[in-house]
Amino acid sequence: MTDIIPTPDLPSLPIEDDARRFPVRRIFCIGRNYADHAKEMGAAAEAIFFMKPSDAVTTASRVPYPQGTSELHHEVELVLALGDGGAIMGCAVGVDLTRRDLQGAMKAKGGPWEIGKSFENSAPVGLLRFGPVPERGAISLKVNGVRRQSGDLSEMILPPRRVLSELARYFTLKPGDLVFTGTPAGVGPLQRDDQVKAEIAGLPPLEFTVS
């Protein structure tokens, strides 16, 4: 039996010093995992989970400004890449792009966030580095050379392994899953032609231009 449509290709991430790639199965995200970010959003410092589709991942140097919004925001995050048994294989720098106006409208209605969070190219991710997950270290994001976000990984309400432990209560974590672990304060708008540089100490930086 053959499929009625072509089987979609999985997006994948480049791996540092390795010709192989990391195929992406699912993307789990955690919101409000830094108290200062929760405060700036007017929300309780209470970690909550949501998801993005795998095709939200992009490694392109130019990321298109999404349709349907006039308020695109950046959120720099540590990204975990999972292997067998849900174990962490490596980490990367990621940016959770958010259609903030649409997210806000859904919050006001008490509805789900997908329209604000789960669109194509909404999860730029940098080069994946295999090895242990960092528990502390600077995390920051600049737009056109001006620092917007800065913090430390140690400020997470739920550190990376606690994030996985909580997720595992509700999902069977699989090889190829990515986990975005939350963002520090300083999120803000992006415009076309903005140059973004996201950094986490000890990991390859992520750079892209909004087009």
Side-chain angles (χ1 to χ4, degrees):
M1 183 181 295
T2 59
D3 295 328
I4 196 169
I5 60 173
T7 302
D9 293 329
L10 283 177
S12 62
L13 298 178
I15 303 167
E16 186 179 46
D17 299 325
D18 196 322
R20 298 171 297 175
R21 294 180 67 90
F22 182 89
V24 177
R25 184 174 184 269
R26 297 178 294 185
I27 306 171
F28 296 97
C29 304
I30 183 167
R32 304 175 187 171
N33 199 26
Y34 288 75
D36 55 356
H37 171 57
K39 182 178 180 180
E40 74 176 349
M41 298 304 294
E46 177 184 16
I48 56 174
F49 292 105
F50 60 96
M51 295 181 71
K52 289 176 180 272
S54 61
D55 66 1
V57 164
T58 179
T59 60
S61 61
R62 299 190 67 85
V63 175
Y65 196 98
Q67 60 187 2
T69 184
S70 59
E71 194 177 357
L72 178 68
H73 276 207
H74 57 76
E75 301 186 4
V76 59
E77 310 204 13
L78 172 69
V79 179
L80 313 177
L82 307 187
D84 290 338
I88 300 170
M89 292 184 68
C91 303
V93 180
V95 174
D96 170 15
L97 293 176
T98 302
R99 295 190 284 207
R100 191 72 73 199
D101 47 355
L102 301 186
Q103 183 194 28
M106 294 310 296
K107 284 182 179 179
K109 297 177 182 179
W113 292 5
E114 275 81 359
I115 198 168
K117 290 284 191 179
S118 303
F119 52 95
E120 296 90 343
N121 303 304
S122 62
V125 180
L127 193 64
L128 180 62
R129 175 171 287 171
F130 283 165
V133 57
E135 297 281 349
R136 60 186 62 250
I139 176 172
S140 65
L141 182 141
K142 295 178 182 177
V143 178
N144 301 323
V146 177
R147 190 178 304 277
R148 293 268 192 90
Q149 292 185 261
S150 63
D152 194 280
L153 298 177
S154 63
E155 298 168 355
M156 290 185 193
I157 295 170
L158 296 181
R161 296 190 188 284
R162 281 280 309 281
V163 170
L164 296 187
S165 177
E166 286 297 311
L167 276 174
R169 295 173 59 192
Y170 307 104
F171 302 93
T172 301
L173 299 177
K174 298 282 189 176
D177 288 343
L178 296 181
V179 182
F180 279 61
T181 58
T183 194
V187 302
L190 292 170
Q191 308 297 332
R192 288 179 175 85
D193 298 322
D194 278 348
Q195 296 179 349
V196 178
K197 184 173 184 178
E199 297 179 282
I200 294 175
L203 294 177
L206 166 64
E207 298 184 63
F208 62 89
T209 300
V210 180
S211 62

